[in-house]
Amino acid sequence: MSSKPEPLQARLRVAWQRARARLAAMRAQIDQWFPDREFIMRAQGQVRFIRLSARTQKRAATGALVLALAYVGSIGTLALIRWHDARDASALLGRQARVEKAESRVAAYRRNLDDVTADLKRRQDFIEKVTQAHLGVLPADSKDGETVTNSHSEATRTIDKVSTAVPEAANLARMEARQLAFVESLTRYADRRAARGLAMMRRLGVDPGMMLGGPGGREGNDAMGGPLLTLFTEADGALDPRFARLGASLARMSALDRALSRMPQVLPASVDSISSGFGYRVDPFTRHGSFHPGLDFRGPLGAGIYAAARGTVSFVGQRSGYGNCVEVTHGPGLVTRYAHMSAFHSNVGQQVAAGQLIGAIGSTGRSTGPHLHFEVRINGRPTNPRPFLEARSHVPSTIVSPAAGPAPAAGAAKDTRPTEGSE
């Protein structure tokens, strides 16, 4: 026979009865602690009976317990308040210490920032002075048609913002603005110098692309190499466009300077005059009109002949009408020719510098007397050498030779009528 579960009401009634039984037992035990008591007191011959009922004792015990708990609670509360106050005081002292430490560190950083700014200023002063000593005063103004940026307005706004937000960094912002202005000025200088070189080449009838080594405008663009050393100005490896522009301008200026250094620039002989100019003249042999493809420099037999520009000796030997002849190639299509020599002082393939001795004046070939016949040829066609020799005002104007002494500047030579000794 299976038992059925008791109803909930029955279980609750049983639990309530058990609780009442426990409570009754507890009350009975408490009643045992506080039975009715009688005290006999004798005073001045009289006897008194004092009766303390159980209820009175219970009330007195309850009151004493409440007072004890209140005392313990007050003592605990006071201790808690004191602990809390001590903790707050300690936290306040800690915050004050951290603030003082932070302020001292900020002050140290500010002093260090001022020192860094002062170092940067001294370095920038040095860079600008050295640059000015070698290149002169850099252009600060912009001209129409130039593509160089001008960061002056942007830099001024940046300085104002930084001065307001981080006053201690204002000097550093000013140094950055000064650096950018220097970069832009140096870029303008490189562009203008390159423009002058290009204008000079075009004025002389020389194709700049030819002198720069090809369509790409890079000298020797078919022979380059070396390790990759990337340049960057930012922490993430990027390059500021203004610095990239400066690098490109300096590279182009350098390429044009190298190209100009290969153009005739110094007198090829130490002489006082030009005995026959370029173009139409009376031929000294036939006495009829003829075309003269170069300049004749009259000079003593054996006097030195010098390379008009750096280049490579491409021919040493005899040519019809020229006698003993040396040719120097200065770049694609640009050749100088030195004729009527009495002696050779150079060999084919030799690299020569501007003003380097390559031969001696003579009277070989079709010549009436000791002189140098000097030609400039562009793509095989003779070109008037005089503009080349007069164009480079910034190159050395003298050539020193142990035998012949210094040569005068290109502009100092003067034309004379064709005489004996010219061809």
Side-chain angles (χ1 to χ4, degrees):
M1 181 177 179
S2 60
S3 60
K4 296 183 179 179
E6 296 181 0
L8 177 62
Q9 186 176 6
R11 290 200 302 270
L12 291 176
R13 185 168 54 254
V14 171
W16 172 248
Q17 291 176 355
R18 289 177 180 175
R20 289 184 62 183
R22 289 194 188 95
L23 182 61
M26 186 181 297
R27 291 182 64 182
Q29 187 172 0
I30 292 174
D31 289 341
Q32 292 178 3
W33 292 348
F34 300 99
D36 292 338
R37 288 182 174 86
E38 292 184 354
F39 295 94
I40 302 174
M41 297 183 62
R42 296 178 182 273
Q44 297 178 354
Q46 294 181 355
V47 178
R48 294 183 179 182
F49 292 91
I50 299 176
R51 183 175 177 276
L52 293 178
S53 64
R55 178 178 296 180
T56 301
Q57 294 179 45
K58 292 176 183 178
R59 289 177 178 176
T62 302
L65 180 61
V66 170
L67 290 176
L69 292 176
Y71 176 77
V72 172
S74 63
I75 294 298
T77 301
L78 181 61
L80 181 62
I81 291 174
R82 288 182 177 178
W83 173 81
H84 190 272
D85 291 342
R87 189 189 65 176
D88 290 344
S90 176
L92 179 61
L93 292 176
R95 286 195 297 271
Q96 289 177 347
R98 288 194 296 272
V99 168
E100 291 177 357
K101 183 177 180 180
E103 289 180 350
S104 64
R105 289 176 66 86
V106 169
Y109 288 151
R110 287 177 177 172
R111 289 193 299 270
N112 186 52
L113 189 60
D114 291 339
D115 293 340
V116 170
T117 304
D119 289 342
L120 291 176
K121 182 179 182 301
R122 284 190 291 269
R123 293 177 184 178
Q124 187 66 25
D125 289 339
F126 175 81
I127 292 173
E128 292 180 4
K129 289 179 180 178
V130 171
T131 303
Q132 182 175 351
H134 288 272
L135 303 180
V137 179
L138 298 180
D141 59 319
S142 300
K143 293 183 178 180
D144 294 338
E146 290 185 334
T147 59
V148 183
T149 58
N150 190 336
S151 302
H152 177 72
S153 300
E154 176 188 350
T156 301
R157 290 193 297 270
T158 301
I159 292 172
D160 292 339
K161 291 181 181 179
V162 172
S163 301
T164 302
V166 190
E168 57 271 16
N171 289 331
L172 197 59
R174 293 188 183 93
M175 277 303 307
E176 181 185 18
R178 180 179 171 186
Q179 183 184 73
L180 292 177
F182 173 78
V183 167
E184 292 170 346
S185 295
L186 188 55
T187 304
R188 292 190 191 96
Y189 171 86
D191 285 352
R192 294 179 188 181
R193 179 166 167 175
R196 288 195 297 269
L198 288 172
M200 179 185 297
M201 288 184 184
R202 294 190 179 101
R203 188 167 58 250
L204 296 173
V206 177
D207 180 12
M210 176 187 73
M211 292 302 298
L212 289 174
R218 297 179 301 174
E219 181 185 5
N221 55 3
D222 59 345
M224 293 185 177
L228 174 61
L229 301 176
T230 305
L231 295 177
F232 56 89
T233 59
E234 310 302 321
D236 60 355
L239 182 61
D240 188 296
R242 288 164 290 204
F243 286 80
R245 178 72 164 78
L246 171 62
S249 295
L250 289 176
R252 183 163 179 77
M253 180 191 74
S254 179
L256 282 165
D257 283 348
R258 290 194 299 270
L260 288 171
S261 70
R262 299 196 306 273
M263 297 176 64
Q265 58 191 253
V266 294
L267 286 174
S270 293
V271 291
D272 295 329
S273 63
I274 297 175
S275 58
S276 185
F278 177 87
Y280 174 83
R281 72 170 182 178
V282 176
D283 184 79
F285 290 95
T286 66
R287 299 299 177 181
H288 296 299
S290 65
F291 176 76
H292 188 229
L295 298 178
D296 284 344
F297 292 85
R298 182 176 53 193
L301 185 67
I305 297 176
Y306 309 95
R310 72 179 181 92
T312 304
V313 177
S314 54
F315 179 82
V316 176
Q318 292 187 343
R319 290 194 182 277
S320 177
Y322 292 94
N324 293 334
C325 178
V326 170
E327 293 178 0
V328 179
T329 298
H330 306 283
L334 180 60
V335 176
T336 53
R337 179 176 291 174
Y338 312 80
H340 307 310
M341 289 183 171
S342 62
F344 298 123
H345 297 301
S346 56
N347 301 302
V348 174
Q350 179 181 349
Q351 300 289 326
V352 294
Q356 183 173 336
L357 182 69
I358 59 173
I361 287 179
S363 187
T364 58
R366 193 169 184 268
S367 171
T368 61
H371 72 286
L372 164 67
H373 175 82
F374 174 67
E375 290 184 12
V376 174
R377 289 181 168 265
I378 299 177
N379 293 327
R381 299 182 60 182
T383 303
N384 189 358
R386 177 181 283 277
F388 287 88
L389 300 178
E390 293 178 345
R392 298 299 299 275
S393 59
H394 65 278
V395 299
S397 60
T398 60
I399 306 172
V400 178
S401 169
K414 61 178 183 293
D415 283 326
T416 62
R417 297 172 58 187
T419 62
E420 296 295 317
S422 63
E423 188 282 314

